[in-house]
Amino acid sequence: MGPVGPSYLPGPTGIGTAATLLPIRPAPMQPATGDHPPSGQQPGPVPALHCPPALRDDPVLAEEVNTDPRVRRAVKLAAGASTLVNDLYSMARQPSGTELGFDLPQLIAQEEKCSLREAADRTVEIHDELVRTFEIEAALLSLTGSPQLWRFLMGLWAWLGGNREWHAGSPRYNSG
């Protein structure tokens, strides 16, 4: 397997391509790894967006988050990393090879003709690269952004840790 490539890192529009925005998914069709949805959602015309209270209550912060492509990229990096945590923890719950899915380990295993274990290891590498890139970009943004943006980015970083901890401790993923 090769190194983590740019196809797995969010570009200006996030992880994946326009194919992830199709309103319906023709069946049976296995998406390519580059079409992995950035936030774990099934393809649809509008991505699922959540509005944290900080964005609702602070117009300055909302402006920075919504208009600065560097901030949007950082948010997409965090969303992508969060999605991969879910993909990895969901592997044990999903029957292997029985359904077409959108989880990255299955997509990598099919595309790269490797074992699911190797694909999971590759997914971990991609997750770690997304988190490292987020940390670097968030640190750089914190140097030039508002104090509200710094708090938002630190909250997003803490949310990543909480997401990982929740998956590790949730009976949903650990009922073994």
Side-chain angles (χ1 to χ4, degrees):
M1 290 190 221
V4 174
S7 64
Y8 296 111
L9 293 176
T13 59
I15 297 175
T17 64
T20 60
L21 300 178
L22 293 175
I24 59 170
R25 175 178 165 203
M29 182 186 102
Q30 184 70 33
T33 54
D35 292 335
H36 185 257
S39 58
Q41 65 210 27
Q42 294 295 319
V46 179
L49 299 175
H50 304 284
C51 183
L55 295 181
R56 239 188 358 257
D57 300 339
D58 188 333
V60 172
L61 177 59
E63 176 82 13
E64 283 182 289
V65 171
N66 290 320
T67 62
D68 189 333
R70 299 167 307 155
V71 176
R72 292 181 65 80
R73 177 172 155 77
V75 171
K76 288 176 184 176
L77 287 163
S82 170
T83 298
L84 296 185
V85 166
N86 185 69
D87 285 357
L88 289 163
Y89 276 93
S90 294
M91 284 176 56
R93 296 186 59 193
Q94 298 170 348
S96 180
T98 58
E99 290 184 31
L100 296 175
F102 278 89
D103 64 276
L104 193 57
Q106 283 187 12
L107 297 176
I108 289 173
Q110 281 199 329
E111 212 169 87
E112 296 185 9
K113 309 281 189 258
C114 63
S115 71
L116 198 52
R117 179 72 248 162
E118 291 170 316
D121 290 344
R122 181 90 169 98
T123 301
V124 169
E125 291 173 12
I126 294 165
H127 167 272
D128 292 350
E129 180 65 23
L130 289 172
V131 172
R132 279 191 296 272
T133 304
F134 166 76
E135 290 172 340
I136 290 167
E137 293 190 16
L140 292 171
L141 286 165
S142 295
L143 294 174
T144 59
S146 69
Q148 295 95 324
L149 179 61
W150 178 85
R151 282 192 300 278
F152 174 77
L153 293 169
M154 293 306 98
L156 194 53
W157 181 77
W159 172 76
L160 281 172
N163 177 59
R164 163 68 172 78
E165 187 173 327
W166 180 85
H167 278 83
S170 171
R172 176 179 181 174
Y173 298 101
N174 298 289
S175 60

